[in-house]
Amino acid sequence: MRHLHERLLEIADDELVLGWRNSEWTGIAPFLEEDVAFSSIAQNEIGHARALYQLVARELGTTADELALDRQPGEYRCAPLVELRLVDDWAKTIARHWLYEAADWIRLAALRRGGDEDLAGLAAKIDREEAYHRMHADMWFARLRDEARFQEAVDELWPSALGVVDPELRAELAALVGRPEVPAVERDAHTDALRELWDEMTMVRRSEPAGAQW
Amino acid sequence: MVYEVFRQERKGQPYAHAGAIAAPDQAFAEAYAREQYGRRGESVGLWVVPRQAILEVHDFVDELERNYHRVDGYSLRDKLKEARERARTAAARDR
């Protein structure tokens, strides 16, 4: 059994990296209203990452910034699903968004049942924002579900989506999205896409000596 | 489809026009209205209305100059001046 802070770091890294990936659509989403909505969702994900990093940082005697930006790419615990750079494939982006929100819902519900009071409280807060992300994902799903491009994207991403949740939650996720349980792409290996993302994400931070005040 | 959005800033206040959004259906309209007019705590309620549902009325004919229907047809300033004048005269007479 992993430490609680290891599980939280997985979630925080997922949220940070997915928030980062989704923010790559800012300014180039299919239409203006969606641009605003998707950017806002991306910002929420990064906000959730921040709250989780703060919780873990207290435990480990460090800071949220150090956890988010001072680790080496290999030390991140995010799942391969969130690492993929999907600009400019909107169908695949929505497929990932829909699958991730489903996985995240199940994972947050498990945390709320987990018995840790601080954590259950934070999970409930995060879930209240995620409810709007799910609403957004579901309305896009309803619109694209019959499109071949979208179905192919869901098929392709599904094993990675399963890897977002712990093995004991996978049957529940499969039932929720109505797909068979298949071998999951686990979070033990990173894609090459993470290295590139990390280079850009930490560029400004690395340009200043450690401990610089902003 | 275009939806007009009205927002209420505080409970009890009237809804005022906030702007318009383009959305393919009502579910998208709700999501986009929330994001654009509700996420910063600037609203406690929204009305999201398809533009076609709005009955627009523009022409207000007043061929016969019925200015007694309008506030500017009744000069309060002059009436007030006259009334004060009368009151002053009456007061001087009673003294």
Side-chain angles (χ1 to χ4, degrees), chain A residues 21-114:
Chain A
R21 281 301 186 213
N22 286 347
S23 77
E24 290 174 324
W25 281 99
T26 299
I28 54 168
F31 54 104
L32 202 55
E33 277 78 358
E34 184 55 39
D35 202 309
V36 173
F38 210 57
S39 302
S40 159
I41 288 173
Q43 208 174 40
N44 283 349
E45 304 289 17
I46 292 174
H48 298 165
R50 177 170 173 268
L52 290 162
Y53 283 134
Q54 283 170 336
L55 210 61
V56 177
R58 269 211 307 270
E59 200 75 19
L60 300 182
T62 174
T63 66
D65 277 336
E66 285 171 302
L67 285 174
L69 301 167
D70 288 349
R71 284 176 295 158
Q72 291 302 306
E75 295 175 286
Y76 284 76
R77 294 292 302 137
C78 47
L81 179 75
V82 299
E83 298 172 4
L84 307 170
R85 181 178 158 87
L86 300 183
V87 167
D88 53 353
D89 189 335
W90 185 248
K92 212 179 256 190
T93 297
I94 290 299
R96 169 167 68 186
H97 175 46
W98 178 68
L99 288 167
Y100 179 83
E101 292 303 336
D104 197 36
W105 189 27
I106 284 173
R107 176 168 72 179
L108 285 175
L111 277 186
R112 289 166 68 175
R113 293 192 300 265

Side-chain angles (χ1 to χ4, degrees), chain A residues 33-34 40 43 132 139, chain B residues 21-22 28 32 34-35 39:
Chain A
E33 277 78 358
E34 184 55 39
S40 159
Q43 208 174 40
Y132 296 112
M139 74 192 195
Chain B
I21 49 169
F28 277 80
Y32 295 155
R34 279 179 187 281
E35 287 302 343
R39 73 177 285 238

